[in-house]
Amino acid sequence: MLVHIKDLVKDAAKHGYAIGAFNVHNLETILGVARAAVKAKSPAIIQVSEGAIKYMGRKPVNHLVSTVAKNLAPDVQIALHLDHGSSFESVLACMDAGFSSVQIDASSMPIDENIELTKKIVDIAHKRGVWVQGEVGSMIGGHGKVGGRITGVPLAVPAEVVAFVKATKVDSIAAAVGSAHGAFTNEDVHLDLVKAITEKIKTPLVLHGGSGVPDKVIAKAIKNGVRIINIGTDIKVAFSDTLKDTCKKNKKETDPRVLLTPSIEAVEAIVLNKMKLFGSFGRSVDIKAKKL
Ligand code: G3H
Ligand code: ZN
């Protein structure tokens, strides 16, 4: 079923686990996430970047996610979110298209301009019942980048995160805490920094760059208060590595369904593992959420 993101995050905060926010790129990755959610009886956030919207179209992606959630996953809770919205116009268009949650990522701007733009969006979004995620401290790396070391990862300053949340009234907050977009060999999360932030604010903290962070560190980050974890690269890799392999082994195959089914299954397997790690496995049974 399609639900508002607030119902998922509320349950995660109450029971001390994290909801996976999974980046999708096409029908097949949407199916992989939805099937994993059904198998795991787990809530899930399905999120799209502006790149994915450019590829599929804003309304089509909204309809695809809604239809899959309502028809193929009627007993689990799925929420749709815009990941890394970069402008007022882009975020507004997603609200118009029916997203229950949007991120405005103005983290590359000076903090006062970030606050100003985020606040302007929050004011409009809240009138429409839409949740807004803000971001303090820029993420580096790159979606889909795999291997090698990452250096110079910026870190958010807790006092700045607290001031930002207070000033903007965002519903969730992404802060740079050591992880990076992509999967690198030395990725880490500064657990003390996570704690220093979550002790001072009630607003749920979002961990971006979840791919590449060791499982043990993810588990500790959840203990320290992370309530949403973004996974993008692991899905891209599962999908495309499997597709390349299937094509190699079936050079004469012409049926896209035969070539794509193993990739859907690979995405499903990755997402299932994340749901176990995040503690959302089985939570759908207890969550009371209004269907959208
Ligand atoms: O916004 C998307 C995420 O932060 C994904 O990061 O590709 O490292 O999993 P990732
Ligand atoms: Zn991100």
PDB file of all heavy atoms in Angstrom, residues 83-84 143 181 208-209 230, ligand 2:
ATOM      1  N   ASP A  83      14.606  12.385  -3.749  1.00  0.00           N
ATOM      2  CA  ASP A  83      15.951  12.388  -3.166  1.00  0.00           C
ATOM      3  C   ASP A  83      16.774  13.522  -3.790  1.00  0.00           C
ATOM      4  O   ASP A  83      16.802  13.673  -5.019  1.00  0.00           O
ATOM      5  CB  ASP A  83      16.578  11.018  -3.503  1.00  0.00           C
ATOM      6  CG  ASP A  83      17.902  10.780  -2.841  1.00  0.00           C
ATOM      7  OD1 ASP A  83      18.112  11.273  -1.719  1.00  0.00           O
ATOM      8  OD2 ASP A  83      18.730  10.059  -3.443  1.00  0.00           O
ATOM      9  N   HIS A  84      17.421  14.325  -2.970  1.00  0.00           N
ATOM     10  CA  HIS A  84      18.320  15.404  -3.436  1.00  0.00           C
ATOM     11  C   HIS A  84      17.677  16.368  -4.434  1.00  0.00           C
ATOM     12  O   HIS A  84      18.259  16.639  -5.505  1.00  0.00           O
ATOM     13  CB  HIS A  84      19.605  14.824  -4.044  1.00  0.00           C
ATOM     14  CG  HIS A  84      20.496  14.154  -3.037  1.00  0.00           C
ATOM     15  ND1 HIS A  84      21.198  14.849  -2.078  1.00  0.00           N
ATOM     16  CD2 HIS A  84      20.769  12.842  -2.835  1.00  0.00           C
ATOM     17  CE1 HIS A  84      21.879  13.998  -1.323  1.00  0.00           C
ATOM     18  NE2 HIS A  84      21.627  12.774  -1.755  1.00  0.00           N
ATOM     19  N   HIS A 143      27.017   8.725  -6.943  1.00  0.00           N
ATOM     20  CA  HIS A 143      26.104   7.575  -7.003  1.00  0.00           C
ATOM     21  C   HIS A 143      26.636   6.548  -7.999  1.00  0.00           C
ATOM     22  O   HIS A 143      26.921   6.896  -9.139  1.00  0.00           O
ATOM     23  CB  HIS A 143      24.702   8.022  -7.435  1.00  0.00           C
ATOM     24  CG  HIS A 143      24.001   8.832  -6.387  1.00  0.00           C
ATOM     25  ND1 HIS A 143      23.233   9.919  -6.675  1.00  0.00           N
ATOM     26  CD2 HIS A 143      23.954   8.701  -5.046  1.00  0.00           C
ATOM     27  CE1 HIS A 143      22.755  10.433  -5.558  1.00  0.00           C
ATOM     28  NE2 HIS A 143      23.176   9.725  -4.554  1.00  0.00           N
ATOM     29  N   HIS A 181      28.517   9.154  -0.991  1.00  0.00           N
ATOM     30  CA  HIS A 181      27.761   8.521  -2.085  1.00  0.00           C
ATOM     31  C   HIS A 181      28.702   7.586  -2.840  1.00  0.00           C
ATOM     32  O   HIS A 181      29.794   7.996  -3.226  1.00  0.00           O
ATOM     33  CB  HIS A 181      27.208   9.573  -3.045  1.00  0.00           C
ATOM     34  CG  HIS A 181      26.049  10.343  -2.485  1.00  0.00           C
ATOM     35  ND1 HIS A 181      25.780  11.641  -2.843  1.00  0.00           N
ATOM     36  CD2 HIS A 181      25.081   9.979  -1.614  1.00  0.00           C
ATOM     37  CE1 HIS A 181      24.690  12.048  -2.209  1.00  0.00           C
ATOM     38  NE2 HIS A 181      24.251  11.065  -1.447  1.00  0.00           N
ATOM     39  N   HIS A 208      22.716   9.390   4.571  1.00  0.00           N
ATOM     40  CA  HIS A 208      22.912   9.247   3.123  1.00  0.00           C
ATOM     41  C   HIS A 208      24.166   8.407   2.889  1.00  0.00           C
ATOM     42  O   HIS A 208      24.995   8.239   3.772  1.00  0.00           O
ATOM     43  CB  HIS A 208      23.068  10.624   2.471  1.00  0.00           C
ATOM     44  CG  HIS A 208      21.761  11.295   2.204  1.00  0.00           C
ATOM     45  ND1 HIS A 208      21.289  11.529   0.942  1.00  0.00           N
ATOM     46  CD2 HIS A 208      20.804  11.742   3.058  1.00  0.00           C
ATOM     47  CE1 HIS A 208      20.108  12.114   1.015  1.00  0.00           C
ATOM     48  NE2 HIS A 208      19.789  12.261   2.300  1.00  0.00           N
ATOM     49  N   GLY A 209      24.274   7.886   1.653  1.00  0.00           N
ATOM     50  CA  GLY A 209      25.494   7.146   1.318  1.00  0.00           C
ATOM     51  C   GLY A 209      25.601   5.830   2.049  1.00  0.00           C
ATOM     52  O   GLY A 209      26.689   5.425   2.461  1.00  0.00           O
ATOM     53  N   ASN A 230      19.700   5.735   3.350  1.00  0.00           N
ATOM     54  CA  ASN A 230      19.609   5.749   1.880  1.00  0.00           C
ATOM     55  C   ASN A 230      20.538   4.712   1.260  1.00  0.00           C
ATOM     56  O   ASN A 230      21.732   4.681   1.580  1.00  0.00           O
ATOM     57  CB  ASN A 230      20.024   7.120   1.351  1.00  0.00           C
ATOM     58  CG  ASN A 230      18.956   8.169   1.566  1.00  0.00           C
ATOM     59  OD1 ASN A 230      17.974   7.942   2.252  1.00  0.00           O
ATOM     60  ND2 ASN A 230      19.153   9.326   0.966  1.00  0.00           N
TER      61      ASN A 230
HETATM   62 ZN    ZN B   2      22.249  11.006  -0.835  1.00  0.00          ZN
END
